[in-house]
Amino acid sequence: MGNRKGQLTFRRKKKAMTPPTPPAIEVVNNSMVAAAAAATTSKAVVGKKKAGGARLWMRLDRWGQSELIECDKSVILKRVSIPSRDLRILGPIFSHSSSILAREKAMVVNLEFIRAIVTAEEVLLLDPLRQEVLPFVDQLRQLLSHKSSSKRVADEMITQDDGMQSPTAGQWLPVPEAAEGLQAELPFEFQVLEIALEVVCTYLDSSVAELERDAYPVLDELAINVSTKNLERVRSLKSNLTRLLAQVQKVRDEIEQLLDDDEDMAQLYLTRKWIQNQQSEALMGAMASNGMVPAAPHLRRLSSTRSGSLVSNYVNDHDVEDLEMLLEAYFMQLDGTRNKILSVREYIDDTEDYVNIQLDNQRNELIQLQLTLTIASFAVAVETMMAGWFGMNIPCTLYKVNGIFGFSVGIMTAAAVLLFLLVLGYARWKKLLGS
């Protein structure tokens, strides 16, 4: 019985110890719920931050496919593999600067209102819905749609050619179709750059033409009538001219800097580097599969001499003739636009000189008039002095002479006039007065 009581008491103690377990589990569950809620809140905050830093981009690939995307900087940096400082150049702080930067897999273009990142396969355009950017988007779409139709025709020709030929295994290496789909003139990135330069140069030319159309009538009106209203119009005209000259000069200096450095121009050949990377990967794949190294001349069979020269231009790393000719053409166009602005500024300077000459002439005439009146005042003062002498209350025998008043007034007036003429003649002799 003692043992049974001991066992019963032991069981009762065991039952008394079991209830504390559920509260511990409840505490653990509460901590897990709090942690999950905190994680959800932090994700929501991060999502808000990302949404707040997102900007509108337009993506256009080399075959005409386009889409509007809204993403933040991190997505763009991962997509095009450029440093973050290059993306800051496209921001609002550097919106008034012009730059064309070459990177390993992309080209950063910041030309006035056109801010884009160009790769060998696509274009990422920032703020594509701006009024100034729409012409660039339209021309780019036209170019890419034309290339897309050309690609379909080329694919059909290649399919027919492949049906007629049977290449030997290991003799051909697959090269991306970019080498065939490219136009014979320029690779994809340079076609995009050419459209950007064309749109910017057209915009600057139209702005300069509008400036010329407004400038010459205003300056002619100022030359005729120097007034506050005309001077204010000329001041506004000069501020617009200075702004346009700075814009043209920035783009012109950037192109000139590229033309002076062949290495920077070579780095802008993105399609060339892309094709070389694809060929290297294909070569490594062929070596791994066949265990042999194909000869360099058999990297690709060419259907024509023209296509052979095209691919050879991509292989030559130091050939920058195409880009140099492109940049030189737009450099000359910008130089002509700059000369137009300088001619307008010279016309403004000439008009200002003419107005200053007019004002100086009027000022000289006023000075001559003032000097003439001063001489006349001096002569009248002398006559007044002589009249004062006779007005003194002192005894004089001339007071008793009949008709002496008119005679004395005539003599004094004649003396004053003679004195005026003498002083005026002296002033003209000294060239103080004009003839």
Side-chain angles (χ1 to χ4, degrees), residues 113-272:
F113 46 84
I114 296 179
R115 290 171 288 175
I117 302 174
V118 186
T119 65
E121 299 176 324
E122 63 182 7
V123 183
L124 295 175
L125 181 63
L126 181 62
D127 296 333
L129 302 181
R130 289 182 56 183
Q131 189 66 29
E132 301 88 353
V133 186
L134 291 179
F136 173 73
V137 176
D138 294 338
Q139 293 190 28
L140 194 58
R141 281 177 173 172
Q142 292 178 3
L143 171 68
L144 297 179
S145 62
H146 177 70
K147 289 186 64 176
S148 179
S149 60
S150 300
K151 177 181 179 295
R152 287 194 297 268
V153 174
D155 289 342
E156 293 177 358
M157 294 178 63
I158 291 173
T159 304
Q160 296 176 0
D161 189 28
D162 290 341
M164 296 175 62
Q165 295 181 1
S166 58
T168 307
Q171 196 173 7
W172 284 9
L173 259 159
V175 178
E177 294 184 1
E180 293 182 358
L182 288 172
Q183 293 183 359
E185 292 83 5
L186 290 173
F188 170 71
E189 63 273 11
F190 293 159
Q191 293 177 5
V192 176
L193 180 61
E194 183 179 10
I195 294 176
L197 289 173
E198 181 180 355
V199 171
V200 170
C201 291
T202 304
Y203 170 77
L204 294 176
D205 283 338
S206 61
S207 300
V208 173
E210 183 179 358
L211 178 68
E212 289 179 337
R213 186 171 59 251
D214 297 337
Y216 292 113
V218 171
L219 295 173
D220 294 338
E221 181 67 23
L222 179 64
I224 297 173
N225 181 19
V226 181
S227 61
T228 305
K229 180 181 178 181
N230 291 334
L231 289 174
E232 180 63 26
R233 293 170 67 186
V234 172
R235 186 197 63 81
S236 176
L237 186 68
K238 288 186 68 175
S239 63
N240 292 334
L241 184 142
T242 304
R243 176 179 55 82
L244 275 176
L245 182 60
Q247 291 176 347
V248 173
Q249 191 68 39
K250 285 185 295 185
V251 180
R252 179 180 176 275
D253 291 343
E254 182 63 25
I255 295 178
E256 186 178 9
Q257 183 178 358
L258 282 176
L259 288 172
D260 292 338
D261 196 341
D262 291 343
E263 293 183 0
D264 288 345
M265 285 194 291
Q267 290 297 321
L268 290 176
Y269 279 78
L270 304 177
T271 303
R272 172 193 294 170

Side-chain angles (χ1 to χ4, degrees), residues 35 55 65 69 74 87 89 165 190 257 349 367 396 428:
R55 304 184 69 179
Q65 301 295 327
I69 56 177
S74 60
L87 201 57
I89 295 176
Q165 295 181 1
F190 293 159
Q257 183 178 358
D349 294 338
I367 292 173
C396 183
R428 289 183 183 276

Side-chain angles (χ1 to χ4, degrees), residues 84 138 215 274 293 330 339:
S84 59
D138 294 338
W274 183 63
V293 180
Y330 287 99
N339 291 333

